[in-house]
Amino acid sequence: MAFDRVGNIRAISIGRLALFGMCFATAALPCAFHGYEPKPTIVERLMRADTVVLARPSESTPFAFSITGQLRGETSAGSLPFLVDSTTRRLMRLKPHATVLFTRDPETEVWHRLVTVDAAFEPLLQRIWEALSSWQNDPVARATFFGELLHHPHRRARELALRELDLADYATLQALDLQVEADTLRAQLDIPSQMDLRAIRILLLGFSQPTTELSGFLKAKVTQGIAHENDMLGAYALSLVELDGERGLRWLAETHLSGSNHTYNTHSALVQALAMHFRAGDADLRKAIEDVLTARVLFDPELAYVVSLQFSAIAANAGLDVPESDLDEDPSLEALKAIEVSRLIPLKK
């Protein structure tokens, strides 16, 4: 891979080539779908960096990196604070035209090693680099680009796509024409080295072609998640409603929503999934969610408390004025007020 004087990537003949997250962020409401803050993606590192370079092991000092290409900013020899490990040295010997991509964060002044740019990754990096400026103000275009890479032949491209979609607003995911292979995603849910991608893989299952077998799988996972307080309960519930619509919602409500032994975390995960669909769903699904919750909060004060928190959060995130909570007010009334305010959120077109 080579670069010209202004830092543009150009192909050479022998080279080719993850807390909005999915949460409503308030300190009192831990995310039901991650349980962690997604790691910055390559795109995020590139967008925020003041310096972007390519480097290879130095010919004179094999354990040091030597900069071979400057995409952004200025650097001096020996400025990269990384040693070349034995794995990288072997890889660079096998791929004499490969380089390693580094960025520097202007706020922390910390350098980050991002990815090895070899014949498989170079064309994709070229496309990403060219689109960076337009993506700053167009998250839908960014998500669309990476949604089309879900079944890319190269593993690193697929993982990058998942990490990017993991950062997208849920309504953005719904707007994409995603081509999802449920069997492939399910087979990858428990890869030990990729547990941080489990949540987005579960969410994407909801955009698969609906089948009785997949619906049964998601229902079983919801049931297991409730029994064991699994941290992916919210993701499975969200995915089920995405896949089965009102039918999935009714099953969830009738089977699990009002459980006398539910913990706060269980209620929170289930209600958060419904709140997200309320915010991003169509008119029929929103009405069905409203009916389900309105009927249940009147008889379940603990559920009502969680509904008031979650729906106040989505209303506030939508820029609506949410009445301050009255500590002496009945939690059922608080929940009904929060749902009422949330009705003002614009419906999905």
Side-chain angles (χ1 to χ4, degrees):
M1 185 169 191
F3 294 80
D4 64 21
R5 297 283 295 182
V6 296
N8 294 319
I9 304 173
R10 57 182 174 84
I12 55 178
S13 59
I14 58 176
R16 287 182 58 97
L17 185 83
L19 165 62
F20 187 89
M22 309 217 175
C23 311
F24 299 119
T26 68
L29 304 178
C31 179
F33 311 118
H34 290 100
Y36 59 88
E37 183 178 355
K39 295 185 295 187
T41 65
I42 291 174
V43 172
E44 288 186 298
R45 294 289 190 204
L46 288 172
M47 282 183 171
R48 71 177 64 164
D50 63 351
T51 308
V52 182
V53 301
L54 291 176
R56 282 186 56 84
S58 170
E59 294 183 1
S60 58
T61 311
F63 290 96
F65 278 100
S66 175
I67 295 172
T68 60
Q70 190 89 35
L71 279 75
R72 183 186 301 154
E74 297 181 0
T75 54
S76 58
S79 60
L80 293 175
F82 295 91
L83 293 176
V84 181
D85 59 87
S86 58
T87 300
T88 300
R89 285 198 303 274
R90 286 194 298 270
L91 179 63
M92 294 294 112
R93 284 197 296 267
L94 292 172
K95 300 182 176 184
H97 299 283
T99 54
V100 181
L101 182 66
F102 294 92
T103 62
R104 196 188 83 127
D105 189 299
E107 295 184 3
T108 64
E109 298 185 354
V110 172
W111 282 92
H112 298 278
R113 175 174 174 167
L114 300 188
V115 67
T116 298
V117 182
D118 57 11
F121 199 76
E122 183 180 346
L124 178 57
L125 182 58
Q126 170 76 51
R127 294 170 62 196
I128 291 172
W129 184 256
E130 292 173 350
L132 278 180
S133 59
S134 64
W135 287 345
Q136 293 278 4
N137 299 309
D138 195 347
V140 174
R142 177 176 167 183
T144 300
F145 177 92
F146 287 100
E148 294 172 353
L149 299 180
L150 281 174
H151 306 295
H152 194 279
H154 297 292
R155 175 185 56 81
R156 284 183 298 167
R158 295 193 299 271
E159 290 182 11
L160 177 57
L162 287 169
R163 295 189 190 284
E164 281 291 319
L165 294 178
D166 198 24
L167 301 178
D169 181 269
Y170 192 70
T172 298
L173 291 181
Q174 289 180 315
L176 303 180
D177 184 21
L178 294 171
Q179 303 299 313
V180 177
E181 295 178 1
D183 291 343
T184 300
L185 288 175
R186 285 175 59 178
Q188 298 169 341
L189 287 180
D190 297 315
I191 298 174
S193 62
Q194 297 181 15
M195 297 307 282
D196 58 331
L197 293 175
R198 184 170 51 160
I200 184 60
R201 284 181 168 129
I202 292 170
L203 294 186
L204 290 177
L205 285 173
F207 298 97
S208 307
Q209 184 68 28
T211 67
T212 301
E213 197 275 335
L214 180 57
S215 177
F217 169 79
L218 293 175
K219 289 176 180 177
K221 287 296 187 180
V222 168
T223 300
Q224 293 169 14
I226 291 173
H228 303 289
E229 285 201 13
N230 188 285
D231 60 353
M232 291 293 110
L233 169 59
Y236 281 116
L238 189 75
S239 191
L240 173 65
V241 177
E242 185 67 46
L243 186 78
D244 286 348
E246 291 185 46
R247 183 174 58 184
L249 167 66
R250 298 296 178 189
W251 177 88
L252 196 65
E254 294 167 5
T255 309
H256 291 302
L257 191 57
S258 295
S260 58
N261 296 322
H262 283 356
T263 64
Y264 170 84
N265 287 338
T266 294
H267 270 144
S268 184
L270 295 175
V271 174
Q272 188 175 356
L274 299 188
M276 291 181 71
H277 274 298
F278 188 93
R279 185 180 72 91
D282 58 24
D284 291 340
L285 183 57
R286 178 180 288 190
K287 181 62 167 59
I289 292 171
E290 180 183 343
D291 290 345
V292 162
L293 293 179
T294 298
R296 281 161 176 76
V297 298
L298 295 175
F299 305 99
D300 189 337
E302 293 184 1
L303 176 66
Y305 173 70
V306 174
V307 169
S308 66
L309 287 178
Q310 296 285 359
F311 276 75
S312 293
I314 66 167
N317 271 282
L320 301 176
D321 292 329
V322 181
E324 291 187 11
S325 176
D326 183 344
L327 295 179
D328 296 325
E329 193 164 36
D330 182 272
S332 297
L333 182 57
E334 287 275 14
L336 295 175
K337 285 167 53 181
I339 294 172
E340 181 71 23
V341 173
S342 299
R343 288 178 182 171
L344 301 176
I345 298 173
L347 283 164
K348 181 178 69 174
K349 295 180 180 180

